[in-house]
Amino acid sequence: MEKTRIPDAKTGQTSGLRARLGRIKVRGYYWPVRTIVQLGFFVLFSGIGIMSLVPAFNGTRSWIVLPIVSSVKSQAQVTSTMDAITLFLENGLFPWLPVGIMLVVGAILGRFMCGWICPVGFLQDVITSVKGRVDAVEKRAHLQWIRLKYYLVVLAFLISGSLGLAVYYGVGSDYRTSLGPLADGLFVAITPDGTLFGTLPAILGGSWRFLGTAQSSDLTIGNLSSWFGHISALTWLNVVVLVGFVYAAWRIPRFWCRYVCPVGAIMAVTQKNSLLGMHRDPIKCSECKECESACPMQIPILDLDWKKFNDSECILCMACIDACPAGALSPKFP
């Protein structure tokens, strides 16, 4: 009689476990990597501005400019292309370098730097994370407010461009004087990051040094009033803008990027045709709208072309990819 071998129970269980483990796919998320990258560039670009509190510190600015928001007022090693453009124009020079950098980066990466590198974008993401949810704006109001940043860019270029032409033709001295602080550029004179990482640390540094050497007789109401009186109206305006920036970022995710940022407005033009974009798999996608709910820029992802979409407002933060339960979204290059 032929004997039939009975499979060992432990062997069967082990084989079944291996089969189940083989079917398990470990899913990676972009947000931890993006947070680390953002934090690193935040310290590199703007966080070093706090060092201006140290009397011996003297930041050395490099020639590198990038399509991010990094004010020339701060001690950051890298400057915004927008600030560089207006400073070039102020001196009657055409800004070949910053314009070229914006076009090249925009053609390849679109607004990727807005989502991964910009220190002001990181600040807004931190505020939204503390709040704990991504709120949406009524669609009609959202589309109307988007236009604001384009109007501001036109205004900034009208001021700096007209001054540049006047300087180039040798008649810009009086015009520069009449513009006052705006001669450096609209977004150089009024900017939340320049106040946070340049103006306020400088004021605090001076105050600390004064307090370190002051006598008790110096701390009078009259001296304090005189000290506050020396703070310019423009500085107070920038403080108000900074407070408004924080409040707006709390109410609306990426408010500055959506509706105000001049760099974002310029890069939005290149984003629509950039090599880096997003892909949505129509087979996996169940149109649950989790991706749209997670998007900080309120992009109607499900209404866009699934093969490859490059919405002008997309900052390629990959939050939609992390939010999609089916894994239907992915970056696409080119």
Side-chain angles (χ1 to χ4, degrees), residues 286-297:
S286 61
E287 299 189 1
C288 64
K289 295 190 176 182
E290 289 292 330
C291 55
E292 293 186 354
S293 299
C295 178
M297 300 297 286

Side-chain angles (χ1 to χ4, degrees), residues 125-139:
D125 287 343
V126 170
I127 293 171
T128 302
S129 298
V130 172
K131 184 178 181 180
R133 67 176 186 270
V134 179
D135 292 331
V137 180
E138 192 272 325
K139 184 177 180 180

